[in-house]
Amino acid sequence: MAANKGVNMHAHSSSVATSSLSVDKDALKLETALGHKQQLRRNFGLFSLTSLGFIIANAWAATGGTIVIAIYNGGPMAVLYGLILVTIFYTFISASLAELVSAIPSAGGVYHWASVTAGPKYGRVVGFYAGWLNMCGWLLSASSISSILGNELVAMYLLRNPGVEWHSWQVFIAFQLVNWTCCCIVIFGNRYLPLVNKIALWLSLIGLVVSILVLAIMPRGRHASNAFVWTEFTDFSGWNNDGLCFMLGLINAAFAVGTPDCQSHLSEEINEPEKNVPKGIMLQIGTSFVTAFAYLIALFYSINDIEAVLNTSFKFPTAEIYLQATGSTKGAVALTAILFLATFPTLIGTLVTGGRTFWALSRDDAAPFPKFFSKISPTFDSPLRATLAVSSVTTCLGCIYVGSTTAFQALIGSYIVLSTLSYAAAILPHVLTGRKTIVPGPFHLGAWGWFFNISSLLYIGVTVVLFCFPFVYPETAQNMNYTSVITGGLVIFITVWWFVRGRKEYQGPKYFKEAAEELADGVIGIPRKMSA
């Protein structure tokens, strides 16, 4: 009995020592190779981090919330095959980013990587633009998710009150309600976020299974035909060009799986980020595709009146599909509520990521009032001020929705364009410098890196242009795609801010390659056999 107790105590001590060693090694690399002191608590594990990535992407719920865009451009067939195509290219992007985070596990993410891959001559300006493009992308992502949640709340209300007319201000109020509720959860519940992520993962998976079962069982002979789902191409966009129509519809799939960098911004809050974050990124893209594809098949087979879906008075087509599938208002409300509960944690995760990104920019003097926003709250162990700033800007972006009902599409399009441009800002210099500016981490693509990187850049180049096209033709002031306006305006803002502050005062994040090489070889601090 005493012997067993001694063994258990020895095992516990060994486990604690190993954990402490891992934390020390991570803090050592952060300071010696990346030039930052450890400020955030490393309270995430691989499961909780992957859970965060899953709920931020939340691909099945995201496709349900944004189906209004894609269904106009080719119908169900185009959405399903488009998801396959987009996932292939986002796998290339995910692998390219996973390789970079494995070498440079920083909360700055693409901002830090771009600063390094572009080399000492151009790294400062390239990193500055990459950081702000990525930051603006996350702001628009928070706005998009808030819009989806707002539309879901309003749709549930209108389903229960069919005599009430839809107004954009209703969505605006719901938008602000969910935005600040999630902000409070992120700020005051920071230490519980790993647990929240795990619970949210299971809630999302349960909601997915329940939704698929209901959509598959309840229509009772009113399912759509196989041809409607898999082979019929229906162009409601007015372009009269099937190829262009199909390509424009890819934005729905891109929004669903297009958050591969989200986990990288928590690299300073998990042990062994050079190994765990790349694993999380690749797991995220795989689970996103499987869940979204399964859900979309069930959803499209539930449609029995496509015209009613496109012209629904709820302004939220998924609610109309649920109504057709269940044949009852209560059933439609219940399924929309499940979608809402699954999407709600996505906004929490998005604000977590956005807050960490803005904090990283402030830490390196790239943001306004950097000393103020770079402070970590000692009470909550989180970048409280930076998170509040993200929610405040999201509030302002919500005002766009009141002025234009097409703002929803513009927010989504702008998020995709800005985020992929920030990825390109890190990947393109990596290619142009011969992939030699960084010390490879455990996740290294080797010779395949060229193929993955170049394929990623080709996809980004094509879609950045296409997603600025009007989704409906002929375009009017009411249905115009304002993505190019929003993107162009933000790029101008970043350029002005570069000349106001960046050019003279901003130095950028650090990367000490010799120290990184010595750490990789086990020369500094910890023997190589212990760091594997």
Side-chain angles (χ1 to χ4, degrees):
M1 190 77 174
N4 287 339
K5 183 176 180 181
V7 170
N8 290 337
M9 289 179 65
H10 176 73
H12 175 70
S13 299
S14 177
S15 174
V16 170
T18 302
S19 176
S20 176
L21 181 64
S22 176
V23 172
D24 290 343
K25 182 190 70 172
D26 297 332
L28 179 66
K29 180 170 184 176
L30 182 65
E31 184 168 355
T32 58
L34 307 183
H36 288 303
K37 291 187 178 293
Q38 184 71 47
Q39 291 181 272
L40 298 170
R41 181 182 299 176
R42 294 186 184 269
N43 60 345
F44 279 82
L46 177 59
F47 182 69
S48 59
L49 182 73
T50 305
S51 299
L52 176 70
F54 180 88
I55 65 171
I56 289 179
N58 221 346
W60 74 271
T63 54
T66 60
I67 203 68
V68 63
I69 301 173
I71 208 165
Y72 272 94
N73 298 94
M77 181 202 99
V79 177
L80 291 170
Y81 294 130
L83 178 61
I84 295 173
L85 179 64
V86 167
T87 301
I88 291 172
F89 282 101
Y90 263 97
T91 300
F92 299 152
I93 295 174
S94 297
S96 298
L97 300 186
E99 181 182 46
L100 291 173
V101 74
S102 184
I104 308 173
S106 164
V110 291
Y111 154 65
H112 203 140
W113 311 331
S115 299
V116 176
T117 58
K121 185 176 181 180
Y122 301 106
R124 202 164 66 95
V125 63
V126 173
F128 188 88
Y129 272 85
W132 275 107
L133 287 169
N134 192 250
M135 183 67 249
C136 291
W138 282 111
L139 287 170
L140 292 166
S141 176
S143 302
S144 301
I145 300 299
S146 297
S147 295
I148 292 172
L149 289 167
N151 274 289
E152 289 168 351
L153 282 175
V154 172
M156 285 188 282
Y157 179 78
L158 295 181
L159 280 166
R160 295 294 301 270
N161 300 273
V164 178
E165 186 178 352
W166 182 93
H167 294 285
S168 59
W169 62 262
Q170 298 165 337
V171 178
F172 174 76
I173 292 174
F175 178 112
Q176 302 303 343
L177 178 65
V178 295
N179 172 35
W180 286 104
T181 300
C182 289
C183 181
C184 289
I185 292 173
V186 172
I187 290 173
F188 300 122
N190 182 70
R191 68 182 61 185
Y192 303 109
L193 287 179
L195 177 61
V196 170
N197 293 334
K198 294 175 185 178
I199 294 172
L201 171 65
W202 290 114
L203 285 176
S204 180
L205 290 175
I206 292 170
L208 171 65
V209 173
V210 170
S211 297
I212 290 176
L213 289 175
V214 171
L215 292 171
I217 296 170
M218 288 199 70
R220 298 177 184 174
R222 293 178 286 112
H223 289 102
S225 66
N226 289 331
F228 173 77
V229 175
W230 297 104
T231 60
E232 290 179 4
F233 189 90
T234 51
D235 181 3
F236 297 101
S237 68
W239 278 103
N240 296 320
N241 184 316
D242 290 352
L244 179 60
C245 180
F246 173 79
M247 293 297 289
L248 292 176
L250 296 180
I251 193 170
N252 175 261
F255 186 74
V257 301
T259 57
D261 70 304
C262 64
Q263 296 181 55
S264 69
H265 298 287
L266 279 85
S267 294
E268 297 173 32
E269 298 176 65
I270 184 173
N271 295 331
E272 297 190 306
E274 68 278 2
K275 296 179 181 178
N276 288 322
V277 177
K279 290 177 185 177
I281 290 174
M282 300 314 295
L283 283 170
Q284 178 184 325
I285 189 69
T287 55
S288 293
F289 170 74
V290 172
T291 54
F293 198 70
Y295 172 73
L296 285 173
I297 292 173
L299 188 71
F300 290 145
Y301 270 109
S302 301
I303 298 174
N304 53 65
D305 185 352
I306 188 65
E307 294 292 338
V309 172
L310 296 173
N311 299 305
T312 176
S313 60
F314 312 131
K315 305 294 183 181
F316 190 68
T318 308
E320 174 62 31
I321 297 175
Y322 286 163
L323 188 60
Q324 293 182 15
T326 61
S328 73
T329 299
K330 290 182 179 179
V333 170
L335 286 179
T336 306
I338 290 174
L339 193 62
F340 176 84
L341 291 174
T343 309
F344 189 81
T346 302
L347 183 56
I348 295 175
T350 302
L351 292 176
V352 168
T353 304
R356 266 60 172 180
T357 305
F358 188 60
W359 169 75
L361 287 170
S362 301
R363 181 177 61 176
D364 290 322
D365 293 324
F369 311 107
K371 292 183 179 180
F372 179 81
F373 288 116
S374 62
K375 295 291 184 183
I376 296 294
S377 168
T379 304
F380 302 108
D381 287 322
S382 71
L384 184 149
R385 296 174 181 178
T387 304
L388 282 173
V390 170
S391 273
S392 297
V393 176
T394 301
T395 293
C396 297
L397 290 171
C399 298
I400 299 174
Y401 207 100
V402 179
S404 171
T405 54
T406 59
F408 178 55
Q409 290 93 325
L411 290 174
I412 290 176
S414 300
Y415 160 66
I416 297 299
V417 168
L418 290 167
S419 61
T420 51
L421 282 175
S422 73
Y423 304 156
I427 298 171
L428 179 59
H430 193 37
V431 171
L432 295 178
T433 55
R435 293 171 43 85
K436 296 177 180 179
T437 54
I438 63 172
V439 178
F443 186 92
H444 183 47
L445 296 174
W448 280 100
W450 291 99
F451 172 76
F452 279 72
N453 293 166
I454 293 172
S455 297
S456 300
L457 292 170
L458 289 173
Y459 169 83
I460 291 170
V462 171
T463 54
V464 161
V465 175
L466 282 174
F467 292 163
C468 291
F469 276 47
F471 292 105
V472 179
Y473 186 83
E475 74 278 12
T476 65
Q478 286 70 39
N479 63 27
M480 176 183 169
N481 182 1
Y482 289 93
T483 296
S484 58
V485 177
I486 294 175
T487 302
L490 289 172
V491 170
I492 291 173
F493 161 76
I494 296 169
T495 302
V496 170
W497 184 241
W498 165 256
F499 284 104
V500 169
R501 182 181 183 86
R503 188 175 59 168
K504 294 182 179 180
E505 300 181 39
Y506 165 74
Q507 295 302 316
K510 307 300 181 186
Y511 181 66
F512 303 101
K513 190 174 182 180
E514 290 185 3
E517 289 172 341
E518 292 176 348
L519 280 166
D521 292 334
V523 175
I524 296 180
I526 299 172
R528 185 176 181 83
K529 64 180 181 179
M530 297 291 288
S531 62

